[in-house]
């Protein structure tokens, strides 16, 4: 039997640091989401910042319903096996609105 890896339903692009992070968007399950995703460091300056964590990726995903998901994951887990499946489950559980539109 062939082992076929399925393509993720969406993709997050990681920026190199917080200061250069850009707002991006993706569509998943008929909904649009805005997000920022970056290595958990302030800039690429050599001295760095005391709070820099180059071993982490931080992302914030916001739905148009006003809900958001703010998460930090280890760099080694970003885009690893099942990363997008787990992220899709988190989006389904926390960002899908169950309330009527305004």
């Amino acid at each position: 039997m062939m082992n076929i890896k399925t393509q993720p339903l969406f993709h997050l692009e990681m920026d190199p640091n917080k200061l250069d992070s850009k707002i991006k968007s993706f569509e998943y399950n008929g909904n649009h989401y805005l997000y920022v995703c970056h290595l958990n460091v302030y800039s690429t300056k050599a001295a760095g910042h005391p709070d820099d964590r180059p071993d982490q990726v931080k992302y914030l995903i916001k739905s148009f319903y006003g809900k958001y998901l703010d998460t930090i994951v280890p760099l080694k887990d970003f885009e690893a096996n099942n990363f997008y499946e787990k992220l899709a489950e988190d989006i389904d559980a926390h960002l899908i609105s169950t309330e009527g539109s305004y």
Side-chain angles (χ1 to χ4, degrees), residues 3-100:
N3 186 5
I4 299 173
K5 185 175 180 179
T6 59
Q7 292 289 355
L9 301 170
F10 52 88
H11 178 76
L12 299 184
E13 294 177 27
M14 180 178 61
D15 291 320
N17 60 63
K18 294 178 183 183
L19 298 179
D20 295 326
S21 193
K22 297 183 177 28
I23 297 172
K24 301 175 186 86
S25 66
F26 66 88
E27 184 177 343
Y28 164 67
N29 206 17
N31 294 301
H32 294 273
Y33 299 92
L34 297 175
Y35 77 93
V36 291
C37 178
H38 53 76
L39 200 58
N40 201 7
V41 297
Y42 280 91
S43 71
T44 55
K45 291 183 181 177
H49 187 277
D51 294 334
D52 282 355
R53 293 293 309 268
D55 61 331
Q56 295 178 339
V57 175
K58 180 173 176 121
Y59 57 87
L60 178 110
I61 300 173
K62 184 177 183 304
S63 74
F64 284 93
Y65 299 111
K67 298 179 179 184
Y68 65 91
L69 187 63
D70 189 6
T71 307
I72 296 174
V73 297
L75 179 60
K76 66 179 179 58
D77 294 345
F78 183 69
E79 295 191 330
N81 289 342
N82 299 325
F83 172 78
Y84 285 105
E85 289 85 1
K86 168 83 171 82
L87 182 53
E89 289 172 7
D90 289 344
I91 289 170
D92 291 342
H94 302 289
L95 298 184
I96 301 297
S97 178
T98 57
E99 303 167 7

